[in-house]
Amino acid sequence: MEPLTTAAIAIGSVVATKALEKTGEKVTETLWEQTGKFLNSLKQQSPDTVTVIEKALEEPFYYRPLEKIFYAIINGYFLNFFSIK
């Protein structure tokens, strides 16, 4: 490959990466804005629901119980599928 072609590809990839980054930033910004508007409108219609949502977001989420359930389901499925007991 010629040096000029290599340089053009490198510059093109940098420009494309920056364009995608800006698009991602804009999408994220719009998503947060729309979520805020939705919560404000929901707060006017059902304040109790928003309170429950906000409390749920403050509490830490523990994956460990879900992990145990997941493994129990998978192990049970495979044990029954292969008739291993």
Side-chain angles (χ1 to χ4, degrees):
M1 201 179 304
E2 294 183 26
L4 187 57
T5 306
T6 304
I9 291 172
I11 291 171
S13 67
V14 168
V15 170
T17 301
K18 289 295 181 183
L20 287 174
E21 285 176 3
K22 284 291 183 186
T23 302
E25 289 173 7
K26 199 68 171 163
V27 167
T28 303
E29 182 180 307
T30 303
L31 180 65
W32 279 112
E33 183 180 308
Q34 292 299 321
T35 303
K37 287 180 182 179
F38 172 73
L39 284 176
N40 285 335
S41 119
L42 185 62
K43 191 178 281 189
Q44 292 174 356
Q45 295 176 10
S46 178
D48 294 336
T49 303
V50 174
T51 303
V52 169
I53 292 172
E54 289 172 345
K55 283 183 181 179
L57 293 174
E58 291 172 0
E59 295 177 13
F61 185 76
Y62 298 105
Y63 292 95
R64 194 72 182 153
L66 293 176
E67 184 180 338
K68 288 180 180 180
I69 292 169
F70 173 75
Y71 283 119
I73 291 169
I74 293 297
N75 289 334
Y77 172 77
F78 283 114
L79 290 177
N80 290 333
F81 183 75
F82 292 110
S83 298
I84 300 171
K85 296 183 182 186

